[in-house]
Amino acid sequence: TNPRSLPLFQENEELAMRLRVKTLNLLAVLEQRQGNLAAAIRYLKGVLHIEQNHDEQQPLTNLSVAALLIQSDKFLEATTLCKRCIRLLHHKEMLRGLSLPDKQMWATALYQLALAQDRCKDRNENKEAPTTYQKALAYAARNLEPGDPNVIALEKEFHEHPSKVPPLPPLGPAEGSAAAQPM
């Protein structure tokens, strides 16, 4: 049944949109848990489409789709969504600042972007991977606590694959740093 055809939703377009987004998100989670990444990606792309049409793009949706795309070996498409997530977070930061979960999402988006770039066959993206790893490490070091799971994951990646990550620049304030700039 189309939610718009129900009387309740004919008068409340926003409620219909939010209900559809929640439904698609839940279906995506279900499909992912069942190992059907392609279906999960389709559902989340439906969420992205709704968010874009209603001018309510969410960084987390972009990051969620990117993570699934990385798992599905669709690295170039994942880089686009990671970069969009970072741009949306940067915009949010400019408007009202970021919460700790937002900062964690930014660090995760940089890390996911580096992973996608590292595995991508596109030369331009692939050559950016070491710099993006560096940005992810620097951003996490400046904005998150040492025991944060994002910091631990980045440090683990650095220690397991040190050749990917160039030396870090001296740590300074987050404002105006290369890591704080949108992609």
Side-chain angles (χ1 to χ4, degrees), residues 81-129:
L81 292 170
C82 288
K83 289 175 183 180
R84 185 183 304 148
C85 174
I86 293 164
R87 278 194 308 273
L88 291 168
L89 287 167
H90 181 61
H91 181 69
K92 184 176 182 180
E93 182 181 45
M94 296 284 103
L95 292 177
R96 60 184 174 270
L98 296 176
S99 65
L100 178 59
D102 290 331
K103 291 175 182 179
Q104 291 169 325
M105 189 184 324
W106 194 323
T108 301
L110 283 167
Y111 177 64
Q112 293 291 324
L113 176 60
L115 288 175
Q117 288 173 329
D118 190 41
R119 297 173 184 169
C120 189
K121 292 180 182 168
D122 181 276
R123 279 186 163 170
N124 291 327
E125 288 296 339
N126 188 262
K127 73 179 180 182
E128 293 297 319

Side-chain angles (χ1 to χ4, degrees), residues 57-72:
Q57 290 188 63
Q58 299 297 317
L60 183 56
T61 307
N62 286 275
L63 186 56
S64 297
V65 177
L68 290 175
L69 289 168
I70 290 169
Q71 290 177 34
S72 300

